[in-house]
Amino acid sequence: MAENNLEQTMNGKAIYMRLLGYVKPYWKAFALSLIGMVIVASTEVGFAALIKPMLDGTFVDRDPDYKILVPLALIGIFILRGIGSFSVAYCMAWVARHVIKDLRTEMFAQLLKLPTPYYDRNPSGKLIAKMLYDVEMVSEASSRAITVIVQDSLTLIGLLCWMFYLNWQLSLLFLTVGPILSLMVVYVNKRIRQISRRLQASVGDITHVAQETVEGQRVVKIFGGEEYENSRFLEANQKNRQQNMKVVVTQATSVPVVQLVAAVLLACIIYLASPGSTDGAGVNSVGAFMSFITAVLMLFAPLKRLTTVNAVLQRGIVGAESIFGLLDHESERDKGTLSLKKIQGQICYEDVSFSYDDLTYKEEKGDVLANITLEINAGETVAFVGRSGSGKTTMVSLLPRFYSVDRGCIKIDGHDIESIKLTSLRSHIALVSQDITLFNDTIAHNIAYGGMVGASLEDIKAAAKAAFALEFIEALPNGFDTMVGEKGMMLSGGQRQRLAIARAILKDSPILILDEATSALDSESEKYIQAALEMLMKNRTTLVIAHRLSTIESADKIVVMDEGKIVETGTHEALMEKQGHYAALHNIQFGEE
Ligand SMILES: Nc1ncnc2c1ncn2[C@@H]1O[C@H](COP(=O)(O)OP(=O)(O)O)[C@@H](O)[C@H]1O
Ligand SMILES: [Mg+2]
């Protein structure tokens, strides 16, 4: 996929520079934490340096001043160190939490702008994992890793300077072995980054499977999908464990190996630095010797952290790649500039062809919609019938530009819909579809959703009444203030559908799309709703898809679709007379009568 290529060409440095851009607004806190790091690093070096006067001054020279000064200096160093490390921890966390918040805000805004095909391709679990897990990982990189890198590098440099000051020959020896250590670290980096990428994907898989099972638990139960889901989960879970272990193995082997090399180095230094060693490379006093050894020993901790921090750092880069991949994804195309205040609702499909991005499908079956031409007058009710999969839903999905046509064009009131601003276009269309979407909020807020927020309770009531929903709503304990639960779980399918219809009634837009809007209703409620819908259809252009043919007999025009083509159009009577596709469908449904 193009998205992957894009991600891979962004190298780690570019990604960090971009992340740093998010830190920019908080540069003051960031600078404070950097100052804290400098303080902490200098106290480390200060401590190593203090060893020299401590031993030479107190034990060797027995100077009474040193007896007081050295302990005081020790306390001073640790007070400074405490202040420094607090400001590092606090400021870093402050910056990181802000960056997390900003990233999430930006990602969410991006989610609202992504085109429908992106959602078709990416399971919701994956997207949610990006928002939660990936962002946290990035925060770890942008705080802990930076702390370690800056503070420990400074400590490292400071200690090395002190060592050079004490004895440059020994320090040079130390430096020649150093690069070997860093080469090892570079290798480990690469490996961990590779594994992290796979780890990332496996976490997405786990969320994805778990989420589907949780959300579809009823289907799983009734169709005995337990074994299938279990094996799917097991596989994802197992893969995740393996990837995690690979990270652990890489880390667990790299650390001791690096340390062993360092220990050998230390051994050599001790041997060479001891007084009486060859070439007189030894240091000139007990204090200097101990201070040198202390500095070497103190180098190990930052060195070790610098090697292990790579796991976090690399994971952060992988997380950031995934986040930026989402942020950089093209938003819904909106080249339209027309902003229409009012429309008549005349719709025209002109030689429209369309297929989903799914290439295999395209090759096997050709376009999902092929050369559709259809004219709908303002205020007309047009019904679409045809077998499932014949392209009815696709046909009406093109109108609010959930997808863009491949060839041909669709016009509303003579304007190509591509030339109309998306928000303007969609403001004139109401939609009730097969799968009802309700939000975990009150009934009133679900009816007066989005642009209709602020509608008066009277209007909401009127809409509910017209949708034959008022009766059941008023019977609920809190009436319009009743929470509907996640996805409206507290309501029956028919009740949910009536709320969706009420929402569409309240929107009162010139174009109405009903995609099997009454499929979840029993025949009796459907009869009522039918009356309500007919009222609703009166002064607007309505595209209705219904599998119960009785509900569409009064439509101004019936369009019969098959395999992405229009095979018949006409009124009920005309089509029945013709004895074609429609009559055949009709006879199957009403054959007995
Ligand atoms: N989001 C999608 N991505 C890829 N293919 C799709 C998508 N939605 C529908 N299709 C395919 O397009 C064809 C038409 O589907 P649809 O318009 O939903 O039919 P209908 O509403 O008439 O039952 C079907 O073959 C279906 O498999
Ligand atoms: Mg459909």
Side-chain angles (χ1 to χ4, degrees):
M1 274 200 308
E3 202 185 313
N4 265 338
N5 285 334
L6 182 82
E7 278 178 14
Q8 269 153 13
T9 48
M10 282 205 282
N11 59 30
K13 200 175 145 205
I15 287 169
Y16 261 97
M17 289 317 287
R18 188 162 168 192
L19 265 181
L20 227 66
Y22 284 87
V23 174
K24 216 170 164 189
Y26 312 108
W27 69 271
K28 280 180 193 158
F30 190 68
L32 260 182
S33 72
L34 289 182
I35 293 172
M37 291 176 202
V38 174
I39 293 175
V40 173
S42 36
T43 56
E44 295 268 296
V45 182
F47 180 76
L50 192 65
I51 300 288
K52 185 168 149 44
M54 187 155 77
L55 292 181
D56 290 348
T58 52
F59 293 99
V60 182
D61 300 341
R62 292 180 190 278
D63 186 329
D65 284 350
Y66 275 82
K67 210 176 153 187
I68 308 290
L69 284 178
V70 169
L72 279 182
L74 193 68
I75 293 171
I77 281 178
F78 275 83
I79 288 174
L80 263 182
R81 196 191 147 85
I83 294 170
S85 62
F86 176 83
S87 85
V88 171
Y90 184 86
C91 295
M92 261 309 182
W94 195 84
V95 173
R97 287 338 291 190
H98 271 93
V99 170
I100 288 179
K101 193 186 121 233
D102 293 352
L103 275 173
R104 285 202 178 129
T105 309
E106 203 172 311
M107 287 168 87
F108 194 79
Q110 172 74 354
L111 282 185
L112 295 174
K113 285 189 296 193
L114 285 170
T116 312
Y118 184 85
Y119 285 101
D120 292 345
R121 276 198 311 268
N122 293 282
S124 60
K126 211 169 117 185
L127 291 177
I128 287 161
K130 266 189 213 283
M131 295 273 297
L132 301 177
Y133 185 74
D134 293 359
V135 175
E136 287 294 335
M137 273 197 345
V138 169
S139 106
E140 254 192 75
S142 61
S143 52
R144 196 161 77 87
I146 291 180
T147 309
V148 172
I149 289 170
V150 174
Q151 184 176 305
D152 289 333
S153 315
L154 283 177
T155 310
L156 211 77
I157 293 167
L159 288 173
L160 280 174
C161 288
W162 177 246
M163 283 159 59
F164 265 95
Y165 169 75
L166 288 177
N167 187 313
W168 63 270
Q169 295 102 320
L170 281 179
S171 303
L172 268 186
L173 170 74
F174 186 81
L175 275 190
T176 46
V177 189
I180 300 177
L181 286 174
S182 50
L183 274 182
M184 289 166 70
V185 173
V186 168
Y187 171 77
V188 174
N189 271 1
K190 241 192 204 156
R191 173 116 183 96
I192 288 176
R193 188 163 160 188
Q194 265 172 8
I195 304 167
S196 295
R197 222 181 248 128
R198 275 178 255 145
L199 180 64
Q200 199 79 14
S202 72
V203 172
D205 287 345
I206 289 193
T207 346
H208 170 55
V209 177
Q211 196 183 8
E212 271 188 1
T213 306
V214 170
E215 284 174 0
Q217 52 107 0
R218 289 180 190 208
V219 176
V220 173
K221 279 184 184 143
I222 207 78
F223 290 100
E226 287 91 349
E227 209 166 299
Y228 170 68
E229 295 299 340
N230 219 0
S231 67
R232 230 156 54 112
F233 188 77
L234 223 67
E235 198 182 314
N237 208 8
Q238 172 76 354
K239 213 167 118 197
N240 177 263
R241 187 195 65 82
Q242 283 169 347
Q243 299 302 337
N244 264 310
M245 282 315 292
K246 275 188 192 166
V247 174
V248 171
V249 167
T250 315
Q251 269 172 24
T253 44
S254 71
V255 173
V257 170
V258 170
Q259 281 176 344
L260 178 67
V261 174
V264 171
L265 180 62
L266 179 66
C268 295
I269 289 172
I270 291 177
Y271 176 76
L272 291 174
S274 327
S277 280
T278 45
D279 304 339
V283 271
N284 52 13
S285 73
V286 180
F289 175 73
M290 273 317 289
S291 187
F292 191 89
I293 297 296
T294 306
V296 170
L297 284 174
M298 283 177 72
L299 275 177
F300 287 141
L303 249 186
K304 183 184 144 199
R305 277 198 296 271
L306 280 168
T307 54
T308 51
V309 79
N310 282 293
V312 186
L313 194 67
Q314 299 305 318
R315 257 189 262 161
I317 289 180
V318 175
E321 272 177 347
S322 144
I323 290 171
F324 292 148
L326 173 79
L327 289 180
D328 291 343
H329 194 279
E330 215 181 329
S331 324
E332 241 175 343
R333 207 175 62 213
D334 189 10
K335 291 217 192 84
T337 48
L338 271 179
S339 197
L340 303 174
K341 279 248 154 54
K342 244 190 141 137
I343 63 162
Q344 297 298 316
Q346 190 251 348
I347 301 169
C348 198
Y349 284 70
E350 289 179 5
D351 205 17
V352 170
S353 296
F354 172 79
S355 60
Y356 292 98
D357 287 346
D358 203 330
L359 283 176
T360 49
Y361 184 91
K362 214 172 183 170
E363 275 160 24
E364 273 173 29
K365 294 199 173 173
D367 292 333
V368 173
L369 292 178
N371 306 97
I372 298 277
T373 298
L374 178 68
E375 193 142 343
I376 303 169
N377 296 322
E380 245 181 4
T381 295
V382 177
F384 294 87
V385 297
R387 288 183 297 189
S388 73
S390 56
K392 306 181 296 292
T393 300
T394 309
M395 182 91 182
V396 297
S397 302
L398 296 178
L399 198 57
R401 274 170 58 198
F402 289 145
Y403 303 91
S404 296
V405 297
D406 294 339
R407 292 184 299 282
C409 76
I410 302 175
K411 286 180 177 164
I412 289 182
D413 287 4
H415 304 289
D416 186 342
I417 55 171
E418 294 281 337
S419 71
I420 306 172
K421 254 200 184 131
L422 265 183
T423 45
S424 169
L425 172 68
R426 289 175 183 166
S427 72
H428 298 301
I429 302 174
L431 164 76
V432 182
S433 69
Q434 251 153 322
D435 24 50
I436 306 294
T437 304
L438 292 182
F439 301 90
N440 193 3
D441 204 336
T442 62
I443 288 191
H445 287 155
N446 266 295
I447 295 177
Y449 177 74
M452 299 175 288
V453 164
S456 70
L457 188 61
E458 267 162 53
D459 290 346
I460 297 176
K461 258 192 185 152
K465 187 156 183 237
F468 288 86
L470 193 59
E471 204 177 320
F472 91 81
I473 294 173
E474 287 185 333
L476 290 169
N478 293 319
F480 278 91
D481 293 328
T482 311
M483 298 290 291
V484 299
E486 196 181 48
K487 292 189 180 167
M489 274 305 171
M490 321 288 230
L491 303 172
S492 78
Q495 289 171 335
R496 283 202 288 269
Q497 207 145 44
R498 276 180 276 176
L499 284 191
I501 291 169
R503 188 191 282 159
I505 292 175
L506 186 63
K507 185 165 180 186
D508 193 26
S509 56
I511 296 176
L512 175 68
I513 299 172
L514 302 169
D515 188 352
E516 316 224 342
T518 52
S519 58
L521 297 179
D522 53 280
S523 335
E524 200 182 327
S525 345
E526 190 178 4
K527 217 177 269 168
Y528 285 124
I529 291 282
Q530 200 53 40
L533 287 179
E534 263 159 35
M535 287 281 290
L536 183 62
M537 290 175 194
K538 243 178 201 152
N539 298 314
R540 62 199 89 227
T541 313
T542 311
L543 311 183
V544 52
I545 300 172
H547 53 234
R548 258 171 279 187
L549 298 182
S550 60
T551 62
I552 53 156
E553 280 175 7
S554 60
D556 297 312
K557 195 186 283 170
I558 294 171
V559 176
V560 186
M561 299 197 59
D562 195 38
E563 298 194 340
K565 292 185 189 72
I566 294 178
V567 288
E568 267 176 6
T569 43
T571 60
H572 171 71
E573 289 75 24
L575 288 176
M576 285 306 283
E577 209 159 286
K578 206 173 162 194
Q579 284 300 316
H581 291 82
Y582 178 75
L585 279 172
H586 203 270
N587 287 340
I588 295 170
Q589 268 192 24
F590 300 101
E592 306 85 42
E593 287 166 27

